[in-house]
Amino acid sequence: MDLASMMITITKIVILPILLGVIFHKFLSKKIEFVTEILPMVSLLVSDISIIIATVVAMSKATILDSVTIVFKVIFC
């Protein structure tokens, strides 16, 4: 595994969003105050939806795998 590419990926995924959040909060805190009140609810809603989707996918594993098999057969035959 290449250390440089891993560090670049970590920077893009973790460090950059944190720095942008700190900068926005520092310079635009009054202008984006309404967002900070709404975002916790949005985050909760998105996480709940993600759990529901993951549960449905997990429960439908066999059906999904059968569908994938049929699709591949149709495409390649």
Side-chain angles (χ1 to χ4, degrees), residues 17 20 24 29 35 43 46 48 54-55 59 65 73-76:
L20 288 174
F24 274 105
S29 62
V35 175
S43 174
V46 169
D48 288 346
T55 303
M59 291 174 54
L65 290 175
K73 286 179 182 177
V74 169
I75 291 173
F76 294 113

Side-chain angles (χ1 to χ4, degrees), residues 9-11 13 15 23 25 28 31-32 37 43 48 53 58-59 62-63 65-67 70-72 74:
T9 303
I10 290 172
T11 301
I13 294 174
I15 298 172
I23 291 169
H25 186 67
L28 302 172
K31 293 182 180 179
I32 61 170
E37 294 174 6
S43 174
D48 288 346
I53 291 171
M59 291 174 54
T63 306
L65 290 175
D66 289 341
S67 299
I70 293 170
V71 169
F72 277 119
V74 169

